[in-house]
Amino acid sequence: MTHTPLKAVRAGLLTALVLLACAAPARADAGHPAPDSLLLLTVSHGQPPSTAGRGSLLRCDPPHGHRHAERACAELAAADGDIAAIPAKDVFCPMVHAPVTAHARGTWRGRPVEYTETFPNTCVMAARTGSVFALDGV
């Protein structure tokens, strides 16, 4: 009998939820337009990155689903949904090698988004991506 680690099951369920949300037809509810900015954000630790990282579903119309949703959505809006274009913060990070991989998949205002970047540590990731990958427990 094979046992699947809880983290792997949780990551699989989160991925399935996002795929269903992205595949569902957009519809208007009570005169409000359907959200068109939806990103599944994950952060994985290690080199190569583990498959059991932390994840969050960020929605920006209106901002929710993420502990810093308003700030993350504002940063994404200023960068027109391009995570790599978010201005880097001028901070000093420790020279500790603890690699983290940030991954985003979804849509920004109807356009597909796919982003993956490995950073030397979480401090550098936060300095380069702002609040977007500021997930619980990362």
Side-chain angles (χ1 to χ4, degrees):
M1 180 177 214
T2 303
H3 295 282
T4 306
L6 181 59
K7 287 183 179 181
V9 171
R10 200 168 52 193
L13 289 174
L14 185 59
T15 300
L17 173 67
V18 169
L19 290 174
L20 286 173
C22 290
R27 64 179 185 270
D29 292 327
H32 300 314
D36 60 355
S37 296
L38 170 73
L39 296 173
L40 172 62
L41 307 168
T42 58
V43 175
S44 302
H45 296 270
Q47 184 82 11
S50 74
T51 57
R54 298 270 184 203
S56 183
L57 186 61
L58 173 65
R59 290 181 169 237
C60 289
D61 301 310
H64 66 283
H66 181 291
R67 73 180 188 160
H68 300 291
E70 286 189 33
R71 230 177 327 168
C73 291
E75 290 167 353
L76 284 165
D80 196 28
D82 182 0
I83 297 168
I86 293 173
K89 293 182 178 124
D90 189 19
V91 298
F92 291 102
C93 290
M95 294 179 60
V96 174
H97 186 70
V100 291
T101 299
H103 180 77
R105 173 181 284 166
T107 59
W108 178 260
R109 298 185 178 158
R111 294 186 324 260
V113 172
E114 185 75 34
Y115 173 88
T116 302
E117 183 75 33
T118 300
F119 299 95
N121 56 50
T122 56
C123 178
V124 175
M125 178 185 70
R128 297 283 310 280
T129 63
S131 299
V132 175
F133 291 100
L135 309 178
D136 290 330
V138 175

